[in-house]
């Protein structure tokens, strides 16, 4: 029981650190983003991987389906908020496609966690 709490706490902390890193990366000036290669050909894949990773971390920290869906919704809102703030702060165009790609990463992450847990549950009965 204690080990499970430690694991969950660790996963929550890693998820929060990941969120902060994404926020910092999102608000870097455009010339710094170019230096880090966060624009261009792999931009969309970066969004999918970033939000899939955040979802895997945060959704793995809870066990109920309701909590998992709620956390996934929070991650989607976080992606929307980042895009909106980038639009307001830098006067960039609001990229709805980035929000949709972020949402896709969240959905993939949620599906992976649900399938993994169902697989574990089925293996217990073998």
């Amino acid at each position: 029981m204690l080990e499970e709490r430690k694991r969950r706490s660790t996963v929550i902390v890693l998820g929060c650190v990941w969120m902060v890193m994404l926020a910092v990366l999102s608000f870097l000036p455009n010339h710094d983003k170019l230096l880090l290669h966060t624009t261009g050909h792999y931009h969309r894949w970066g969004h999918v991987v970033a939000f899939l990773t955040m979802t895997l971390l945060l959704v793995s920290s809870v066990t109920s389906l309701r909590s998992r869906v709620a956390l996934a919704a929070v991650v989607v809102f976080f992606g929307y908020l980042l895009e909106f703030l980038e639009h307001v702060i830098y006067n960039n165009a609001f990229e709805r496609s980035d929000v949709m790609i972020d949402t896709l990463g969240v959905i993939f992450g949620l599906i992976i966690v649900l399938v993994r847990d169902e697989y574990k549950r089925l293996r217990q009965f073998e």
Side-chain angles (χ1 to χ4, degrees):
M1 188 70 165
L2 183 60
E3 286 298 316
E4 181 64 21
R5 284 187 185 167
K6 285 182 182 179
R7 185 196 69 78
R8 284 187 184 176
S9 297
T10 302
V11 171
I12 290 170
V13 169
L14 288 173
C16 292
V17 167
W18 191 263
M19 288 177 86
V20 170
M21 288 176 19
L22 282 180
V24 168
L25 186 62
S26 293
F27 296 116
L28 286 176
N30 285 334
H31 68 278
D32 290 338
K33 288 181 182 180
L34 288 172
L35 292 173
L36 293 172
H37 304 288
T38 61
T39 60
H41 187 67
Y42 297 109
H43 177 78
R44 302 283 186 228
W45 285 107
H47 277 265
V48 171
V49 169
F51 280 82
L52 181 132
T53 302
M54 186 175 6
T55 303
L56 289 175
L57 289 169
L58 294 176
V59 170
S60 294
S61 68
V62 294
T63 55
S64 76
L65 180 61
R66 180 178 289 160
S67 297
R68 288 177 168 176
V69 171
L71 273 174
V74 167
V75 175
V76 169
F77 178 73
F78 178 72
Y80 175 85
L81 185 64
L82 287 179
E83 287 297 325
F84 178 75
L85 291 174
E86 283 181 45
H87 167 69
V88 170
I89 293 170
Y90 293 113
N91 205 22
N92 293 346
F94 184 82
E95 296 178 286
R96 286 181 180 86
S97 61
D98 280 358
V99 176
M100 295 306 292
I101 297 294
D102 297 345
T103 303
L104 191 63
V106 171
I107 291 168
F108 287 157
L110 184 58
I111 289 170
I112 288 169
V113 169
L114 293 175
V115 169
R116 181 202 65 199
D117 284 356
E118 185 63 19
Y119 177 76
K120 282 182 180 178
R121 190 183 68 78
L122 291 173
R123 295 269 313 200
Q124 286 178 344
F125 296 113
E126 289 182 357

